[in-house]
Amino acid sequence: MADLPDKKSAFIDWYLAVVDAANLTDKRYGVKGMNVWTPYGFLARRHLDEVMVREIEATGSSPVEFPALIPANEFAKEKEHIKGFDAQVYWVTKGGLSELDIPLVLRPTSETAMYPIFALWVRSHRDLPLNVYQIVNTFRYETKTTRPFMRVREIHFFEEHTCQVDEAAADQRVRSNLDAFARMAKAFALPYVAVRRPEWDKFPGAAYSIAFDIPVGTGRTLQIGSVHHYRENFSGPYGIRYEDPSGAQKLVHQTTFGLSERLLGAIVAVHGDAKGAVFPTAVAPYEVVVVPIPSAGAEPGPESTAREVVERLVRHGRRAHLDAGDERPGAKYYRWELQGVPLRLEIGRREAAARTATAVDRLGRKQTASLAALERDVDRCLEEYDDALYARALAGYRDEFRVVRSLDELKGFAHVAIIPWCGKEECGHAVETTLDGGLLGTPESPLPMELEAPGACLACGSATGARWALAGRPL
Ligand SMILES: [Zn+2]
C-alpha cells in the first residue's frame, strides 16, 4: 500500500489522495465536477446534515423544498444577483423537442425560486419572521479546476432564507446564524474565523456578507459558508410586503445562511494526517469499529465477544461496525485509520477471557475498556478523543496567523496575514495583488491572539479609519 503524499509540502495531492483512499467519493462519473457519493461518503454527509438540521431547527427554522428549475424572468429580477451568477448557470432551453417559451435556470442558489412564493406567503406582520431552510443540490458551471467537496458543479447545499420585519430584526437573525454556526463548528471540531467580506467581494445582491473561513495551511483558506443581509434588495423586486400593526405596507428585510459539502472538505483538510482521514465523532460514518483477532481456543472466543460488543453499542445508539473479514488484523487497522474511524476496539483471546477490549483511538491513544461498563467506557473514550482532536486542530489554527505591517512582507507569504487596513478598496486591491490572494475582510469573531491598536494602513500609510483585516489565498 502506497504512502500518502506529504500534507505540508504537497497539500492538494495529499488531499486528493486521502479523499480517494478513504473512499468518500468516486470521481469517475462522466461529468467533470459532478461526483458520486459512495456509501461511506454518503454516511459522512448525512451526519453533517444531521448536525446542521439540529442546530438550525433549534433557532426556529423549518424545512421546505423548492423546485430545482427557476424561470428565467424570475431569475433576472434582482440585477446584481443575475450579474453575479450569469456566467455560472446551467440553462434548460428545451422541453422534449420544443424550445421553451421561457427558458429555465437550474438553481445555483434559491433566492429567485423562493421569493415569488414568499410574496404570497407573507401578508401581515403576524406571518413574520419567516425562517425556512432546505438541503438540496445546486448547480454551478464552475470553470476553474474542480476538486471533490471543495469546488464542484453539483453542490450539496444547505440554505436558510428568512424574512424579518425590519433591518434590526434581520441583523439579529444574522447574529443568531453566527451563533448556530459556532455550535456546528464545535461538533465538527473545526476552528474558524467569521469575516465580514469587503464591498467588492460580497454576495451578489447582499447589503453585507459574513463568511466563515478555515485556514488549511501555508496561508490558504477555505470558505465553508456565509451569512448575508439583503435589506430590501430582493423584497423590493419580488414584492415581499406585509401590513404592520398600524395598517401600513412595508417591505421585509431578508437574510440567508449557506453551507455546503465544503464542510466535509474542510474536515478532511484540517483533521487528516499522514495516516489518512480523521473524523470527529459527530460526522464519522462509523464511530467505532470492532475487530476480533481470530484464535483457536475456548469459548466465548474473540468473534462472539466482538458480536456482543457491536450489538450492545448499537443498542446504546452508537454507530458500531463489526469487521470480521478474513484480512490480517494489521491490514484492517491500516484501512480503518485511512478511513478516519474515531475508535477501534480490538478483541483477542486474552481480552475475550478477561471481558475487556483494547481501545485505540484515531489519534493513537490506547486504553482498556471493560465489558462490564462497555457503554460508559466507549462514551468516555469518544469524548476524550473529540476533545483531543479539537485541541490539535486549534493548535494548528493558532499557528496559521501572523501580523504583517508592510506590503513587502506579503510577497510569497505562507500564513494568513492579519493586516492594518484603512478600508479603501484601492489599498485592498494592492494587498491582493502583492499576496496573489484575497483580502478576506474584517474579523467578526475573536482572533487567536491579542492585538494592539492597528496603527497605519499597510498600503497607504494612513492611520485614519485603520482596522485589522485578514488576507490569505482562498482555495
Ligand atoms: Zn490604505
Side-chain angles (χ1 to χ4, degrees):
M1 283 171 274
D3 279 344
L4 296 168
D6 180 56
K7 183 178 181 182
K8 205 168 166 63
S9 62
F11 172 75
I12 293 295
D13 294 338
W14 169 87
Y15 173 79
L16 295 173
V18 170
V19 167
D20 261 352
N23 196 18
L24 295 171
T25 184
D26 194 324
K27 292 180 296 193
R28 293 171 296 180
Y29 189 71
V31 181
K32 180 173 123 75
M34 295 190 180
N35 304 327
V36 176
W37 290 91
T38 58
Y40 194 71
F42 190 94
L43 287 175
R45 185 183 102 175
R46 177 192 284 171
H47 301 141
L48 263 174
D49 289 354
E50 283 166 356
V51 172
M52 294 182 205
V53 166
R54 184 185 73 215
E55 294 302 341
I56 201 68
E57 292 194 354
T59 69
S61 208
S62 303
V64 290
E65 191 166 317
F66 278 70
L69 293 173
I70 304 168
N73 54 334
E74 295 293 356
F75 187 71
K77 269 186 188 165
E78 208 290 325
K79 297 291 177 251
E80 288 301 310
H81 193 66
I82 176 81
K83 217 165 65 194
F85 278 105
D86 221 5
Q88 281 189 60
V89 293
Y90 285 95
W91 289 95
V92 177
T93 56
K94 283 173 88 172
L97 298 175
S98 341
E99 294 288 328
L100 296 175
D101 292 339
I102 298 174
L104 302 169
V105 171
L106 203 45
R107 64 177 164 226
T109 168
S110 299
E111 282 75 3
T112 58
M114 292 181 171
Y115 298 173
I117 301 300
F118 284 6
L120 305 173
W121 287 357
V122 175
R123 286 284 172 233
S124 134
H125 61 95
R126 282 182 292 271
D127 299 325
L128 298 173
L130 175 68
N131 302 329
V132 297
Y133 77 92
Q134 65 181 12
I135 300 180
V136 294
N137 286 10
T138 60
F139 301 84
R140 296 183 191 178
Y141 182 68
E142 184 60 65
T143 51
K144 295 183 195 159
T145 310
T146 58
R147 284 187 196 117
F149 313 129
M150 285 188 179
R151 200 183 299 123
V152 291
R153 288 176 168 176
E154 180 171 8
I155 308 160
H156 183 69
F157 194 54
F158 161 97
E159 49 181 330
E160 187 198 49
H161 295 258
T162 86
C163 297
Q164 311 291 336
V165 287
D166 57 19
E167 184 169 358
D171 277 328
Q172 218 168 43
R173 187 65 195 167
V174 166
R175 290 290 134 196
S176 153
N177 286 159
L178 297 186
D179 292 346
F181 184 73
R183 291 188 295 272
M184 294 177 196
K186 190 74 213 303
F188 306 144
L190 287 177
Y192 68 95
V193 60
V195 185
R196 185 179 289 243
R197 288 283 184 256
E199 281 296 305
W200 64 90
D201 196 25
K202 62 189 192 187
F203 186 76
Y208 68 84
S209 295
I210 296 171
F212 309 116
D213 289 318
I214 292 199
V216 291
T218 59
R220 280 174 296 228
T221 58
L222 190 62
Q223 176 181 325
I224 50 166
S226 48
V227 179
H228 312 287
H229 193 312
Y230 291 161
R231 295 206 181 111
E232 300 169 340
N233 295 350
F234 286 87
S235 58
Y238 288 90
I240 312 174
R241 285 189 186 82
Y242 69 98
E243 191 176 276
D244 80 1
S246 73
Q249 288 288 315
K250 287 189 171 156
L251 289 171
V252 300
H253 279 248
Q254 291 183 275
T255 68
T256 58
F257 174 17
L259 296 168
S260 74
E261 62 187 81
R262 271 194 180 183
L263 271 168
L264 190 50
I267 286 167
V268 172
V270 169
H271 298 311
D273 58 23
K275 289 179 174 178
V278 182
F279 279 111
T281 303
V283 182
Y286 305 135
E287 296 167 311
V288 185
V289 61
V290 183
V291 180
I293 302 162
S295 111
E299 283 298 311
E303 192 164 329
S304 60
T305 306
R307 275 182 208 290
E308 176 202 336
V309 164
V310 169
E311 276 169 29
R312 281 174 58 185
L313 290 176
V314 168
R315 267 203 305 276
H316 181 55
R318 288 293 180 191
R319 300 187 292 274
H321 176 76
L322 175 70
D323 185 356
D326 54 12
E327 272 175 304
R328 286 179 304 104
K332 293 179 182 178
Y333 302 165
Y334 176 90
R335 187 161 39 80
W336 293 121
E337 282 176 353
L338 201 51
Q339 296 200 248
V341 174
L343 190 66
R344 176 173 82 229
L345 296 179
E346 305 167 5
I347 301 173
R349 190 160 54 168
R350 209 179 37 200
E351 282 94 348
R355 301 287 293 161
T356 62
T358 299
V360 185
D361 75 18
R362 180 56 183 78
L363 300 176
R365 298 165 330 152
K366 194 181 270 200
Q367 47 186 305
T368 301
S370 131
L371 265 55
L374 175 71
E375 293 82 358
R376 192 199 62 201
D377 282 1
V378 164
D379 286 353
R380 196 196 58 233
C381 284
L382 288 171
E383 211 170 292
E384 289 171 6
Y385 163 79
D386 280 330
D387 288 347
L389 185 64
Y390 186 67
R392 179 168 97 164
L394 198 58
Y397 169 82
R398 289 195 174 120
D399 191 45
E400 290 288 333
F401 296 86
R402 297 282 188 279
V403 172
V404 171
R405 288 187 175 276
S406 79
L407 270 185
D408 272 354
E409 282 176 77
L410 284 180
K411 285 186 194 128
F413 196 63
H415 286 91
V416 176
I418 305 175
I419 56 169
W421 173 50
C422 66
K424 282 209 225 67
E425 183 161 348
E426 62 201 75
C427 293
H429 291 320
V431 167
E432 293 182 331
T433 310
T434 313
L435 181 65
D436 192 20
L439 187 109
L440 303 172
T442 48
E444 291 273 334
S445 59
L447 288 171
M449 52 182 77
E450 289 285 318
L451 294 170
E452 7 172 318
C457 171
L458 89 169
C460 68
S462 162
T464 315
R467 76 289 311 256
W468 290 113
L470 297 172
R473 287 180 290 118
L475 264 180

